[in-house]
Amino acid sequence: MSEPLVLGIESTCDETAAALVQGNRLLSNVVASSMNEHARYGGVIPEIASRAHAESFVPVVSKALKDADMDLSQVDAIAVSAGPGLAGCLAVGVSGAKALAWAAKKPLYGINHVIGHIAVTQLQFGPFPQNALALIVSGGHTSLLQVDDLARSVQVVGTTLDDAAGECFDKIARLLGFPYPGGPHIDRHARLGDPHAIAVPQGLTKGRAGAEHPYDFSFSGVKTAVARWVERRQQAGLDIPVDDICASLADSVATVLSRKAMAACHRFDTDTLIVGGGFSANSQLRVKLQEFGDQEGVKVRIPKINLCTDNGAMVAMLGVNLVQAGLSPSAPDFSIDSAMPMDRILM
């Protein structure tokens, strides 16, 4: 078939987003965020986020269609994030997408939005090679995936055993008094500090634990070690070198992610690493991955900053893959799955 035109809708957390993608061309990409409404609470409040999605859904979808100079009748299919994510938020997006699909008589695909985070790189780099490895890094997920066929076969190689990288950053940011979201603040301060000033542990990289979990991740111990170091400084009446703390934390996390990703690339004999998720916007990680990739002969595909965080383009792009692969759309009564497993692509 000719290049399918897909409307993608995203509402897993605090962004209501819609985009139109045709083939691998992005025609429009609209995002409305309720992040500022959550800042006073230090994290996302599901009820507030769900209400914001309900208010933003129609304006966001309408603007995405208008920006692309399209109407719903011209769309070949609709894709919507069905999981993982906050249940109330997912319900708003999926309910709205079902209504649109029914009214316009369009096929609807309920997709795994985490897989969308790697699918979106096709807008920048083109199709995946046949055997690729993917590193997912977001607030709640840190995973390594082997991608044989983006529409049909994604296998989990490694996953988070406790805190994901983004969660670790958020907790340390709160400790240091940064407002929500804390990740960007750690990033900015890290650029000013000494990455070797503090000995930050690198979880699951040494000894028996490292051997048993070569591709898994653990950042809970990192968070605890940094917190204890800060507490000891405070108890001793010493200053808290915020820039050095941030730099040392960022360097440790980026090194672990890069080293394990490269080890997995060698293990599964691939020369391409696809990176996706909101945490891939972190500047220390972007630099470290490229450095390791250059050393190991692995091509690293990291999306542009505006495609790292949750957006409709990633949903639409995965939808394009599903349509082109000839997969049947989701059943009309498909449900959301707030804990959707990484190896499930389509509901």
Side-chain angles (χ1 to χ4, degrees):
M1 65 180 298
S2 59
E3 293 185 329
L5 174 63
V6 176
L7 168 65
I9 297 170
E10 155 67 17
S11 70
T12 57
C13 191
D14 58 352
E15 279 98 10
T16 312
L20 280 150
V21 171
Q22 187 161 32
N24 65 349
R25 292 181 298 118
L26 182 61
L27 306 182
S28 66
N29 193 24
V30 179
V31 180
S33 175
S34 60
M35 186 181 295
N36 291 338
E37 298 176 51
H38 305 286
R40 73 179 75 175
Y41 304 105
V44 175
I45 306 301
E47 292 82 0
I48 294 175
S50 300
R51 192 178 309 120
H53 287 308
E55 294 171 353
S56 299
F57 184 91
V58 171
V60 165
V61 172
S62 299
K63 188 172 190 322
L65 289 165
K66 183 179 179 181
D67 287 355
D69 195 23
M70 299 280 181
D71 60 54
L72 203 54
S73 67
Q74 296 170 274
V75 170
D76 295 307
I78 300 171
V80 63
S81 294
L86 300 174
C89 299
L90 289 165
V92 174
V94 168
S95 298
K98 284 184 176 181
L100 289 176
W102 180 85
K105 296 180 172 55
K106 301 295 181 182
L108 178 62
Y109 295 81
I111 64 98
N112 186 323
H113 99 278
V114 177
I115 306 302
H117 273 303
I118 56 174
V120 76
T121 60
Q122 295 171 103
L123 293 171
Q124 189 174 342
F125 300 101
F128 280 25
Q130 192 165 14
N131 176 35
L133 202 81
L135 173 65
I136 301 286
V137 274
S138 67
H141 301 278
T142 303
S143 303
L144 281 167
L145 310 174
Q146 185 183 21
V147 185
D148 292 322
D149 180 340
L150 188 60
R152 294 186 178 90
S153 177
V154 173
Q155 304 297 323
V156 178
V157 171
T159 190
T160 314
L161 302 187
D162 41 56
D163 284 353
E167 290 174 309
C168 174
F169 266 44
D170 285 341
K171 290 172 180 177
I172 295 301
R174 194 175 301 123
L175 173 71
L176 295 176
F178 296 145
Y180 173 82
H185 295 280
I186 289 182
D187 191 332
R188 285 194 291 272
H189 282 274
R191 298 175 204 177
L192 305 173
D194 177 2
H196 308 295
I198 300 166
V200 177
Q202 297 182 353
L204 294 183
T205 58
K206 297 176 181 177
R208 182 176 177 181
E212 292 178 352
H213 300 277
Y215 313 119
D216 292 323
F217 301 95
S218 170
F219 296 108
S220 178
V222 173
K223 169 204 68 185
T224 302
V226 173
R228 296 291 176 269
W229 190 90
V230 171
E231 288 171 3
R232 287 195 296 271
R233 297 279 296 190
Q234 290 172 330
Q235 291 168 358
L238 301 172
D239 68 302
I240 306 300
V242 172
D243 293 345
D244 288 345
I245 293 170
C246 292
S248 299
L249 171 66
D251 184 75
S252 171
V253 171
T255 299
V256 170
L257 291 169
S258 301
R259 185 168 289 151
K260 285 181 175 272
M262 293 301 147
C265 284
H266 290 308
R267 165 66 179 80
F268 293 95
D269 194 26
T270 179
D271 64 355
T272 304
L273 177 70
I274 314 293
V275 186
F279 194 79
S280 63
N282 175 265
S283 60
Q284 291 80 33
L285 177 60
R286 296 171 79 89
V287 169
K288 191 74 73 173
L289 281 170
Q290 291 291 3
E291 287 179 354
F292 271 74
D294 291 343
Q295 292 170 10
E296 302 294 333
V298 174
K299 295 184 287 290
V300 179
R301 298 183 178 184
I302 307 179
K304 294 179 288 189
I305 297 295
N306 67 323
L307 296 178
C308 290
T309 51
D310 291 343
N311 59 80
M314 66 188 198
V315 181
M317 189 67 246
L318 183 52
V320 167
N321 281 268
L322 297 170
V323 173
Q324 288 179 326
L327 295 185
S328 299
S330 301
D333 62 347
F334 79 87
S335 63
I336 62 170
D337 185 351
S338 60
M340 197 170 181
M342 290 300 100
D343 57 359
R344 183 163 193 177
I345 302 165
L346 175 66
M347 291 297 289

